[in-house]
Amino acid sequence: MKLPWDTWEVVTREVRQVAETFVLANCYDPKVAMQLFDDS
C-alpha cells in the first residue's frame, strides 16, 4: 500500500516548515518523526 504523501514534493520552504511543525506537534516521538524530513 502506498500513501499519497510518500511521494509528495514540497513546493516552498514555508510549506515544509509548517509541515514539520504540524508533525512534531502531533507525534509521540519527535526523533522518529524528524526522520521523515532528513532528505533536505
Side-chain angles (χ1 to χ4, degrees):
M1 179 175 174
K2 190 158 183 99
L3 300 173
W5 50 84
D6 284 343
T7 57
W8 179 65
E9 293 187 24
V10 180
V11 180
T12 64
R13 183 183 314 153
E14 291 83 14
V15 172
R16 183 181 182 93
Q17 290 173 339
V18 170
E20 287 181 17
T21 302
F22 179 80
V23 168
L24 288 176
N26 292 294
C27 70
Y28 179 73
D29 188 355
K31 293 177 196 170
V32 173
M34 283 311 294
Q35 292 176 358
L36 299 170
F37 297 103
D38 282 343
D39 64 327
S40 63

